[in-house]
Amino acid sequence: MATPKRVEVLGAPVDCVDLEGALAAIDTLIAGPEARAVVAVNPEKVIKAQSDPVLRRSLASAGLLIPDGIGVVYAVRLLRHERLERVPGAELMPAICARAALRGYPVFLFGASREVNEKASAVLAKEYPGLVIAGHHHGYVDDAAMPDLVAAINASGAQVLFVALGSPRQELWMEKYLPELRHVRVCQGVGGTFDVIAGRVRRAPLAFRRANLEWFYRLVTEPRRAIRQIVLPRFTYQVFREKLFG
Ligand code: UDP
């Protein structure tokens, strides 16, 4: 049974894993007794959690906290001297699908527009022969219709649920509905990953990813993210302050 080491960065928890370690942790969660969240940790969430008790609670109760942002990876190495690699949520999701196809974990895709949701489901089914897509549903569901959706997820028998509603919507959804899920054991919040799989949005070119500059590419190509990344200098400042003054 693999349970990764969990450390703290500026008050937020993060698991010291690489992709293989994350997959091993997924296997452990699948064998567990209840639905647990897989949450991507990045500098934006670390800073937000300092003033947002709901996000803090959702991080504290997560089953796996992947180091999704390169800033978090550097901060853990610098402050905690632990080994870990960046595990982007957008890469963990297909890796979980490959694992699910191999080990027979049925999956459910919840989120994104109807068109993207259907396309992403079709792409995954084609890419991972043997993958059981127990169900899928778009992400534009109002509160009144949510009990029916939860019932459908339960009836599908899915053990892995991908929730693509964006942050913090997907974390709030998981916080609220995880206790109602009967067969799901792993619930990953995947943000805009269905859009990437469906081919509607492109990830940064490989050269940017290899240089750990995916964040910069997104900043330039999706300026609305510039607002969100305004926390990066604050994150960097806090990391160095802790390094220098404890
Ligand atoms: N979305 C959804 N329901 C909503 C709002 C958003 O399903 O009520 C979907 C949206 O279609 C998109 C994803 O959530 O597929 C959000 O992607 P974004 O890139 O904003 O998320 P991030 O990765 O930034 O958290």
Side-chain angles (χ1 to χ4, degrees), residues 3 9 25 33-34 43 59 82 84 111 130 144 146 155 178 221 224 236 238:
T3 309
V9 172
E34 63 197 347
L59 293 177
E82 295 290 345
L84 78 174
M146 212 51 95
L178 244 52
T221 55
R224 82 184 161 89
T236 311
Q238 287 191 16

Side-chain angles (χ1 to χ4, degrees), residues 155-233:
S156 77
Q159 288 179 291
V160 176
L161 172 63
F162 298 111
V163 183
L165 303 177
S167 283
R169 195 178 273 111
Q170 64 201 21
E171 281 80 18
L172 297 176
W173 189 92
M174 291 194 273
E175 183 78 3
K176 188 164 173 190
Y177 292 104
L178 244 52
E180 294 182 27
L181 301 177
R182 298 283 157 260
H183 307 289
V184 171
R185 293 292 175 266
V186 170
C187 182
Q188 186 191 1
V190 295
T193 304
F194 293 0
D195 296 83
V196 175
I197 293 170
R200 206 188 68 82
V201 171
R202 284 171 55 159
R203 282 190 72 194
L206 205 56
F208 280 81
R209 284 189 252 156
R210 287 210 174 121
N212 286 321
L213 286 173
E214 189 164 13
W215 61 274
F216 178 72
Y217 178 85
R218 292 178 95 182
L219 180 66
V220 173
T221 55
E222 298 173 65
R224 82 184 161 89
R225 286 178 190 274
I227 297 289
R228 297 166 36 159
Q229 294 193 4
I230 212 140
V231 298
L232 281 178

Side-chain angles (χ1 to χ4, degrees), residues 22-102:
L23 287 171
I26 297 290
D27 288 335
T28 303
L29 294 177
I30 290 276
E34 63 197 347
R36 303 293 299 280
V38 176
V39 178
V41 186
N42 50 40
E44 189 191 325
K45 269 187 212 161
V46 170
I47 295 296
K48 191 154 186 277
Q50 294 176 347
S51 58
D52 182 341
V54 178
L55 179 57
R56 256 201 319 272
R57 216 170 40 235
S58 109
L59 293 177
S61 64
L64 179 63
L65 294 151
I66 51 168
D68 170 82
I70 191 64
V72 167
V73 171
Y74 288 146
V76 170
R77 288 182 188 157
L78 193 71
L79 300 175
R80 303 285 170 256
H81 309 289
E82 295 290 345
R83 289 162 68 104
L84 78 174
E85 296 293 336
R86 183 171 178 234
V87 181
E91 283 171 26
L92 180 60
M93 183 193 161
I96 292 178
C97 287
R99 192 79 146 207
L102 205 67

Side-chain angles (χ1 to χ4, degrees), residues 108 137 141-155 177 180:
F108 194 108
H137 198 285
V141 180
D142 58 29
D143 283 352
M146 212 51 95
D148 285 347
L149 176 63
V150 170
I153 295 169
N154 285 334
Y177 292 104
E180 294 182 27

